[in-house]
Amino acid sequence: MTKTLHLGQTLTFTGDPFTQGPAAATHSSRGAVLVEAGRVVAAGEADALRAQHGEAEVIDHGAGLILPGFVDAHMHYPQTAMIASWGKRLIDWLNSYTFPEEGKFADRAYADEIAKRTLDLAISNGTTTLTSFCTIHPGSVDAFFEAAEARGMAAFAGKTCMDRNAPDYLSDTAQSAHDDSKALIERWHGKGRATYVITPRFSPTSTPEQLEALGALWAANPSCLMQTHLSEQVDEIEWVSGLYPEARDYLDTYEQHGLLGARGLYGHAIHLEPRETDRLREVGAGLVHCPTSNTFIGSGLFDMAARMAEGQRIGLASDTGGGSSFSMLRVMGAAYEIGQLKRNPIHPAQLLWLATEGSAKVLHAEGEIGRLAPGSMADMIVLDLASTPGIAQRSALASDIWEALFPTIMMGDDRAIAKTYVAGRQVKG
Ligand code: GUN
Ligand code: ZN
C-alpha cells in the first residue's frame, strides 16, 4: 500500500484549549502527516518522518497549514438553495422560505441535485463532514447519504419528522415518522461512513405522540445519534410552553419523551434555564453553537464561556440555510464576534478546536474525524494563510501561528482552502 507524506505547517491538539489554553496545541513550521490507506499513520516533524519513511511519496504543501477538515455539527442541506433569504425571524422564516423549499424534495431528482451541490460546496470550503437535517421525504435521506458515499465522506443525517404546525405537503405522522426512520436506520446506519441521526425537527412541529415514538426508536437503536433544535428564539420558547403545558421547560419536552441523552445534539441552545443547563451537563448532551445563524435570524447570543465553564460538550455549526455562509471559517469568525459581545473573546486555538475536534466529540466520532492523529481518517485541508491581499498583509506581521491564523479565521473564505482531502484522496486543489 502506498504511503504519502504531506509536508507543511501543522497544528495538532494534544488537549482541550478551553481548559489548557493555546498550549493544548503543538505547532510545527516544518511538520508532516503520513497517510496510508485513507488513514493517518503518523504526524510529527518533517525531517524525522522523512528519515523513517523514505519509501513514502512526498507532497510538499510549502507554507500551507495542514489541518483536519472542518466538521459541521448541524446544518440543513435542503436549505442550500434558499440561503440568505431576507428579513424574517425564525417562525416566519420557516413558513415563508424554508417549508416551500423543503417541499421540493418530494422530487428525488431535485434532492440528488441539491445533495451533490451542498457536498461540493462543503468540500470547496474545507468541510469534510456534514451533519444534516433532511426533509420528511425518505428519498431526501437516500440522496444525501448516496452523494456523501460517492465522495467518500463521513455523513451524519436523518429524516426530519413533523406531524403538526407544518404544511400538509411536509407532514408525516407519529407512526410513519417512526417506521420511515426505522427503515432508513436499517438501510444506512453504520454503512460505510454513514451514521443515522434520528431527527424530530423541534417540539413545535411534533405532537407528544411523535416525540414518544421517536424516543422509543432511539431507545431501540442507542448507537444512533438524535438531533433537534432547542431554545433558539424567545418567541419559539413561549410557543413551546403553550403547546406542552405539562413540561417544566423546553428541554423537558424532549426529556419526557426519551429524547435527552449523551448522543443527543441540541442545536442553538441559547436561552436556557438553569435546570436545562444542569440536565444537559449531567447527561453529557451535545450543544451545537450556530453563530452565523443566530445573528442572521436574530436569535440571540450563545454564552460560550458560561457553557464551557459548566463543563458542557459543545460543537460548532453553519446551520445553513439559517446560517448565512457555507464556510466554517466564517462560522468561527461569527463565534468570535459573539464572544466579544459577551465580553469573552474566544482564542483562535479554541475556535479551531470547536470546528474540528469539538464537533467530532458531540458526534461521538472523535478519534475517527476532527483530528490528525494516528488512526484517524485522513480528512484534511491545506489552509493558505495569505489567500487574499488583505489577509496576506496582516498575516505577514504575525509573531506566532495564532496571529498568522486569526486573519484567515476572520476574513477567509473558500479561497483560503488550497486543498481538501477526503480519506487521503484529494478532492479540491
Ligand atoms: N428550528 C426548527 N427548524 C429550524 C430550521 O430549519 N432552522 C433553524 N435555524 N431553526 C429551526
Ligand atoms: Zn437547524
Side-chain angles (χ1 to χ4, degrees), residues 64-107:
L65 177 62
I66 305 172
L67 293 174
F70 301 130
V71 179
D72 188 342
H74 176 126
M75 55 85 65
H76 301 253
Y77 97 81
Q79 298 171 14
T80 287
M82 43 85 37
I83 191 170
S85 292
W86 186 85
K88 307 277 186 200
R89 293 171 63 82
L90 179 59
I91 307 305
D92 290 340
W93 175 85
L94 285 171
N95 288 316
S96 312
Y97 298 124
T98 313
F99 291 159
E101 178 63 19
E102 292 191 8
K104 297 183 192 169
F105 286 70
D107 174 5

Short mmCIF file of all heavy atoms in Angstrom, two decimals, residues 64-107:
data_model
loop_
_atom_site.label_atom_id
_atom_site.label_comp_id
_atom_site.label_asym_id
_atom_site.label_seq_id
_atom_site.Cartn_x
_atom_site.Cartn_y
_atom_site.Cartn_z
N GLY A 64 1.76 26.07 3.50
CA GLY A 64 0.36 25.75 3.78
C GLY A 64 0.21 25.08 5.14
O GLY A 64 1.09 24.32 5.56
N LEU A 65 -0.89 25.38 5.82
CA LEU A 65 -1.14 24.80 7.15
C LEU A 65 -2.04 23.58 6.99
O LEU A 65 -3.19 23.71 6.54
CB LEU A 65 -1.80 25.86 8.04
CG LEU A 65 -2.20 25.42 9.45
CD1 LEU A 65 -0.98 25.00 10.27
CD2 LEU A 65 -2.94 26.56 10.18
N ILE A 66 -1.52 22.43 7.33
CA ILE A 66 -2.28 21.18 7.21
C ILE A 66 -3.12 21.02 8.49
O ILE A 66 -2.60 21.01 9.61
CB ILE A 66 -1.34 19.96 7.05
CG1 ILE A 66 -0.38 20.18 5.86
CG2 ILE A 66 -2.15 18.68 6.86
CD1 ILE A 66 0.71 19.11 5.75
N LEU A 67 -4.42 20.88 8.28
CA LEU A 67 -5.35 20.76 9.42
C LEU A 67 -6.34 19.64 9.13
O LEU A 67 -6.55 19.28 7.97
CB LEU A 67 -6.16 22.06 9.57
CG LEU A 67 -5.42 23.33 9.98
CD1 LEU A 67 -6.38 24.52 9.93
CD2 LEU A 67 -4.83 23.18 11.38
N PRO A 68 -7.03 19.16 10.18
CA PRO A 68 -8.16 18.27 9.90
C PRO A 68 -9.23 19.05 9.14
O PRO A 68 -9.39 20.25 9.35
CB PRO A 68 -8.68 17.88 11.28
CG PRO A 68 -7.84 18.55 12.29
CD PRO A 68 -6.85 19.43 11.60
N GLY A 69 -9.99 18.39 8.27
CA GLY A 69 -11.13 19.03 7.63
C GLY A 69 -12.11 19.49 8.69
O GLY A 69 -12.20 18.91 9.78
N PHE A 70 -12.87 20.53 8.38
CA PHE A 70 -13.85 21.04 9.34
C PHE A 70 -15.03 20.07 9.46
O PHE A 70 -15.40 19.39 8.51
CB PHE A 70 -14.35 22.42 8.93
CG PHE A 70 -13.24 23.44 8.82
CD1 PHE A 70 -13.12 24.24 7.69
CD2 PHE A 70 -12.32 23.59 9.85
CE1 PHE A 70 -12.09 25.17 7.58
CE2 PHE A 70 -11.29 24.53 9.75
CZ PHE A 70 -11.18 25.32 8.61
N VAL A 71 -15.60 20.05 10.66
CA VAL A 71 -16.74 19.18 10.96
C VAL A 71 -17.92 20.09 11.32
O VAL A 71 -17.88 20.80 12.32
CB VAL A 71 -16.41 18.22 12.13
CG1 VAL A 71 -17.61 17.34 12.44
CG2 VAL A 71 -15.18 17.37 11.79
N ASP A 72 -18.93 20.07 10.48
CA ASP A 72 -20.12 20.91 10.68
C ASP A 72 -21.15 20.05 11.42
O ASP A 72 -21.68 19.08 10.88
CB ASP A 72 -20.63 21.37 9.32
CG ASP A 72 -21.75 22.40 9.41
OD1 ASP A 72 -22.37 22.52 10.48
OD2 ASP A 72 -22.00 23.08 8.39
N ALA A 73 -21.47 20.44 12.65
CA ALA A 73 -22.28 19.57 13.51
C ALA A 73 -23.79 19.80 13.41
O ALA A 73 -24.56 19.13 14.10
CB ALA A 73 -21.83 19.73 14.97
N HIS A 74 -24.21 20.73 12.54
CA HIS A 74 -25.66 20.97 12.39
C HIS A 74 -25.88 21.84 11.16
O HIS A 74 -25.45 22.98 11.10
CB HIS A 74 -26.19 21.69 13.65
CG HIS A 74 -27.64 22.08 13.62
ND1 HIS A 74 -28.54 21.72 14.58
CD2 HIS A 74 -28.35 22.84 12.74
CE1 HIS A 74 -29.74 22.22 14.32
NE2 HIS A 74 -29.65 22.92 13.18
N MET A 75 -26.55 21.28 10.17
CA MET A 75 -26.95 22.08 9.01
C MET A 75 -28.14 21.40 8.33
O MET A 75 -28.55 20.31 8.72
CB MET A 75 -25.78 22.31 8.04
CG MET A 75 -25.06 21.10 7.54
SD MET A 75 -25.84 20.38 6.11
CE MET A 75 -25.63 21.69 4.91
N HIS A 76 -28.69 22.12 7.35
CA HIS A 76 -29.87 21.62 6.64
C HIS A 76 -29.53 21.63 5.16
O HIS A 76 -29.64 22.69 4.52
CB HIS A 76 -31.07 22.53 6.89
CG HIS A 76 -31.46 22.66 8.35
ND1 HIS A 76 -32.58 22.07 8.87
CD2 HIS A 76 -30.87 23.31 9.39
CE1 HIS A 76 -32.68 22.35 10.17
NE2 HIS A 76 -31.64 23.11 10.50
N TYR A 77 -29.13 20.49 4.59
CA TYR A 77 -28.76 20.54 3.17
C TYR A 77 -29.93 20.95 2.28
O TYR A 77 -29.72 21.62 1.25
CB TYR A 77 -28.10 19.21 2.73
CG TYR A 77 -29.01 18.22 2.06
CD1 TYR A 77 -29.33 18.34 0.70
CD2 TYR A 77 -29.57 17.16 2.77
CE1 TYR A 77 -30.18 17.43 0.08
CE2 TYR A 77 -30.41 16.26 2.16
CZ TYR A 77 -30.72 16.40 0.82
OH TYR A 77 -31.55 15.52 0.20
N PRO A 78 -31.21 20.64 2.66
CA PRO A 78 -32.30 21.06 1.77
C PRO A 78 -32.49 22.58 1.71
O PRO A 78 -33.29 23.06 0.91
CB PRO A 78 -33.54 20.38 2.39
CG PRO A 78 -33.00 19.27 3.22
CD PRO A 78 -31.70 19.79 3.76
N GLN A 79 -31.79 23.31 2.57
CA GLN A 79 -31.93 24.77 2.55
C GLN A 79 -30.81 25.46 1.77
O GLN A 79 -30.72 26.70 1.78
CB GLN A 79 -31.99 25.30 3.99
CG GLN A 79 -33.19 24.77 4.77
CD GLN A 79 -33.16 25.09 6.25
OE1 GLN A 79 -32.38 25.92 6.71
NE2 GLN A 79 -34.00 24.42 7.03
N THR A 80 -29.96 24.67 1.11
CA THR A 80 -28.84 25.26 0.37
C THR A 80 -29.30 26.32 -0.63
O THR A 80 -28.73 27.41 -0.72
CB THR A 80 -28.04 24.15 -0.33
OG1 THR A 80 -27.30 23.45 0.66
CG2 THR A 80 -27.06 24.71 -1.37
N ALA A 81 -30.35 26.00 -1.39
CA ALA A 81 -30.75 26.91 -2.48
C ALA A 81 -31.42 28.18 -1.97
O ALA A 81 -31.53 29.15 -2.72
CB ALA A 81 -31.67 26.17 -3.46
N MET A 82 -31.87 28.19 -0.70
CA MET A 82 -32.54 29.40 -0.19
C MET A 82 -31.74 30.08 0.92
O MET A 82 -32.29 30.90 1.68
CB MET A 82 -33.99 29.11 0.24
CG MET A 82 -34.28 27.87 1.01
SD MET A 82 -34.08 27.82 2.82
CE MET A 82 -34.56 29.33 3.47
N ILE A 83 -30.43 29.81 0.95
CA ILE A 83 -29.57 30.52 1.91
C ILE A 83 -29.70 32.03 1.64
O ILE A 83 -29.98 32.44 0.52
CB ILE A 83 -28.11 30.02 1.76
CG1 ILE A 83 -27.24 30.52 2.92
CG2 ILE A 83 -27.52 30.38 0.40
CD1 ILE A 83 -25.86 29.88 2.97
N ALA A 84 -29.52 32.81 2.69
CA ALA A 84 -29.55 34.28 2.56
C ALA A 84 -30.91 34.77 2.06
O ALA A 84 -30.99 35.53 1.09
CB ALA A 84 -28.41 34.78 1.67
N SER A 85 -31.98 34.32 2.70
CA SER A 85 -33.32 34.84 2.41
C SER A 85 -33.64 35.93 3.43
O SER A 85 -33.52 35.72 4.64
CB SER A 85 -34.35 33.71 2.48
OG SER A 85 -34.14 32.80 1.43
N TRP A 86 -34.11 37.05 2.94
CA TRP A 86 -34.11 38.30 3.69
C TRP A 86 -35.27 38.49 4.69
O TRP A 86 -36.41 38.12 4.39
CB TRP A 86 -34.16 39.47 2.70
CG TRP A 86 -34.02 40.80 3.36
CD1 TRP A 86 -32.86 41.43 3.70
CD2 TRP A 86 -35.08 41.66 3.78
NE1 TRP A 86 -33.12 42.63 4.31
CE2 TRP A 86 -34.48 42.80 4.38
CE3 TRP A 86 -36.48 41.57 3.73
CZ2 TRP A 86 -35.22 43.85 4.90
CZ3 TRP A 86 -37.22 42.63 4.27
CH2 TRP A 86 -36.60 43.76 4.84
N GLY A 87 -34.95 39.05 5.82
CA GLY A 87 -35.91 39.84 6.58
C GLY A 87 -36.85 39.16 7.56
O GLY A 87 -37.74 39.82 8.10
N LYS A 88 -36.72 37.86 7.81
CA LYS A 88 -37.68 37.18 8.69
C LYS A 88 -36.98 36.62 9.93
O LYS A 88 -35.82 36.24 9.88
CB LYS A 88 -38.34 36.01 7.96
CG LYS A 88 -38.97 36.36 6.63
CD LYS A 88 -40.36 36.93 6.80
CE LYS A 88 -41.01 37.14 5.45
NZ LYS A 88 -42.11 38.08 5.52
N ARG A 89 -37.76 36.52 11.00
CA ARG A 89 -37.29 35.80 12.18
C ARG A 89 -37.79 34.36 12.11
O ARG A 89 -38.54 34.00 11.21
CB ARG A 89 -37.72 36.52 13.45
CG ARG A 89 -37.02 37.88 13.56
CD ARG A 89 -37.56 38.70 14.68
NE ARG A 89 -37.35 38.06 15.96
CZ ARG A 89 -36.20 38.10 16.65
NH1 ARG A 89 -35.18 38.80 16.18
NH2 ARG A 89 -36.07 37.49 17.80
N LEU A 90 -37.36 33.54 13.05
CA LEU A 90 -37.46 32.08 12.91
C LEU A 90 -38.78 31.54 12.35
O LEU A 90 -38.79 30.87 11.32
CB LEU A 90 -37.13 31.40 14.25
CG LEU A 90 -37.22 29.87 14.25
CD1 LEU A 90 -36.27 29.26 13.23
CD2 LEU A 90 -36.92 29.32 15.64
N ILE A 91 -39.90 31.81 13.03
CA ILE A 91 -41.14 31.13 12.64
C ILE A 91 -41.60 31.60 11.26
O ILE A 91 -41.99 30.79 10.40
CB ILE A 91 -42.25 31.36 13.71
CG1 ILE A 91 -41.74 30.97 15.12
CG2 ILE A 91 -43.52 30.57 13.36
CD1 ILE A 91 -41.19 29.59 15.28
N ASP A 92 -41.51 32.92 11.01
CA ASP A 92 -41.89 33.45 9.69
C ASP A 92 -40.91 32.98 8.61
O ASP A 92 -41.29 32.75 7.47
CB ASP A 92 -41.90 34.99 9.70
CG ASP A 92 -43.06 35.51 10.52
OD1 ASP A 92 -44.02 34.75 10.74
OD2 ASP A 92 -42.98 36.68 10.95
N TRP A 93 -39.67 32.89 8.99
CA TRP A 93 -38.63 32.42 8.06
C TRP A 93 -38.92 30.97 7.64
O TRP A 93 -38.83 30.63 6.46
CB TRP A 93 -37.26 32.57 8.75
CG TRP A 93 -36.09 32.04 8.00
CD1 TRP A 93 -35.36 32.69 7.03
CD2 TRP A 93 -35.49 30.75 8.16
NE1 TRP A 93 -34.35 31.86 6.59
CE2 TRP A 93 -34.40 30.67 7.26
CE3 TRP A 93 -35.76 29.64 8.97
CZ2 TRP A 93 -33.59 29.55 7.15
CZ3 TRP A 93 -34.96 28.53 8.87
CH2 TRP A 93 -33.89 28.49 7.97
N LEU A 94 -39.30 30.14 8.62
CA LEU A 94 -39.64 28.75 8.29
C LEU A 94 -40.84 28.71 7.33
O LEU A 94 -40.81 28.03 6.31
CB LEU A 94 -39.99 27.96 9.56
CG LEU A 94 -38.82 27.55 10.47
CD1 LEU A 94 -39.35 26.98 11.79
CD2 LEU A 94 -37.92 26.52 9.78
N ASN A 95 -41.89 29.46 7.68
CA ASN A 95 -43.12 29.39 6.88
C ASN A 95 -42.97 30.03 5.50
O ASN A 95 -43.53 29.54 4.53
CB ASN A 95 -44.28 30.04 7.65
CG ASN A 95 -44.72 29.17 8.82
OD1 ASN A 95 -44.86 27.96 8.69
ND2 ASN A 95 -44.90 29.77 9.99
N SER A 96 -42.22 31.13 5.43
CA SER A 96 -42.13 31.86 4.16
C SER A 96 -41.15 31.23 3.19
O SER A 96 -41.40 31.19 1.99
CB SER A 96 -41.67 33.30 4.38
OG SER A 96 -42.39 33.90 5.39
N TYR A 97 -40.00 30.84 3.70
CA TYR A 97 -38.92 30.41 2.81
C TYR A 97 -38.62 28.91 2.88
O TYR A 97 -38.40 28.26 1.87
CB TYR A 97 -37.62 31.15 3.17
CG TYR A 97 -37.66 32.65 3.03
CD1 TYR A 97 -37.35 33.48 4.12
CD2 TYR A 97 -37.96 33.25 1.82
CE1 TYR A 97 -37.34 34.86 4.00
CE2 TYR A 97 -37.96 34.65 1.69
CZ TYR A 97 -37.64 35.44 2.79
OH TYR A 97 -37.64 36.80 2.66
N THR A 98 -38.55 28.41 4.12
CA THR A 98 -37.97 27.08 4.33
C THR A 98 -38.92 25.97 3.90
O THR A 98 -38.54 25.06 3.15
CB THR A 98 -37.63 26.90 5.82
OG1 THR A 98 -36.94 28.07 6.25
CG2 THR A 98 -36.77 25.70 6.05
N PHE A 99 -40.16 26.03 4.40
CA PHE A 99 -41.08 24.93 4.10
C PHE A 99 -41.36 24.81 2.60
O PHE A 99 -41.31 23.70 2.06
CB PHE A 99 -42.36 25.05 4.93
CG PHE A 99 -42.14 24.80 6.42
CD1 PHE A 99 -43.05 25.28 7.37
CD2 PHE A 99 -41.04 24.10 6.88
CE1 PHE A 99 -42.86 25.04 8.74
CE2 PHE A 99 -40.83 23.86 8.25
CZ PHE A 99 -41.75 24.34 9.17
N PRO A 100 -41.63 25.92 1.88
CA PRO A 100 -41.83 25.75 0.42
C PRO A 100 -40.62 25.11 -0.27
O PRO A 100 -40.79 24.26 -1.15
CB PRO A 100 -42.05 27.19 -0.06
CG PRO A 100 -42.57 27.91 1.14
CD PRO A 100 -41.90 27.29 2.32
N GLU A 101 -39.41 25.48 0.14
CA GLU A 101 -38.22 24.88 -0.49
C GLU A 101 -38.13 23.40 -0.13
O GLU A 101 -37.84 22.55 -0.98
CB GLU A 101 -36.96 25.64 -0.04
CG GLU A 101 -35.66 25.10 -0.59
CD GLU A 101 -35.54 25.16 -2.11
OE1 GLU A 101 -36.27 25.93 -2.75
OE2 GLU A 101 -34.70 24.39 -2.65
N GLU A 102 -38.35 23.07 1.14
CA GLU A 102 -38.24 21.66 1.55
C GLU A 102 -39.30 20.80 0.85
O GLU A 102 -39.08 19.60 0.61
CB GLU A 102 -38.32 21.54 3.08
CG GLU A 102 -37.09 22.13 3.77
CD GLU A 102 -36.97 21.81 5.25
OE1 GLU A 102 -37.76 20.99 5.76
OE2 GLU A 102 -36.07 22.38 5.89
N GLY A 103 -40.43 21.41 0.51
CA GLY A 103 -41.47 20.67 -0.23
C GLY A 103 -40.97 20.13 -1.56
O GLY A 103 -41.45 19.08 -2.04
N LYS A 104 -39.99 20.80 -2.15
CA LYS A 104 -39.48 20.37 -3.47
C LYS A 104 -38.76 19.02 -3.40
O LYS A 104 -38.52 18.40 -4.43
CB LYS A 104 -38.51 21.42 -4.03
CG LYS A 104 -39.13 22.78 -4.30
CD LYS A 104 -38.06 23.69 -4.92
CE LYS A 104 -38.51 25.13 -4.96
NZ LYS A 104 -37.39 26.04 -5.31
N PHE A 105 -38.42 18.60 -2.16
CA PHE A 105 -37.64 17.36 -2.03
C PHE A 105 -38.49 16.09 -2.15
O PHE A 105 -37.97 14.98 -2.04
CB PHE A 105 -36.81 17.39 -0.73
CG PHE A 105 -35.64 18.33 -0.86
CD1 PHE A 105 -35.84 19.71 -0.92
CD2 PHE A 105 -34.34 17.85 -0.98
CE1 PHE A 105 -34.77 20.59 -1.09
CE2 PHE A 105 -33.27 18.72 -1.14
CZ PHE A 105 -33.49 20.09 -1.19
N ALA A 106 -39.79 16.29 -2.41
CA ALA A 106 -40.61 15.13 -2.80
C ALA A 106 -40.08 14.57 -4.12
O ALA A 106 -40.28 13.39 -4.43
CB ALA A 106 -42.07 15.56 -2.94
N ASP A 107 -39.42 15.43 -4.88
CA ASP A 107 -38.83 15.03 -6.16
C ASP A 107 -37.40 14.54 -5.91
O ASP A 107 -36.52 15.32 -5.55
CB ASP A 107 -38.84 16.26 -7.09
CG ASP A 107 -38.11 16.02 -8.41
OD1 ASP A 107 -37.67 14.87 -8.65
OD2 ASP A 107 -37.98 16.99 -9.18
#
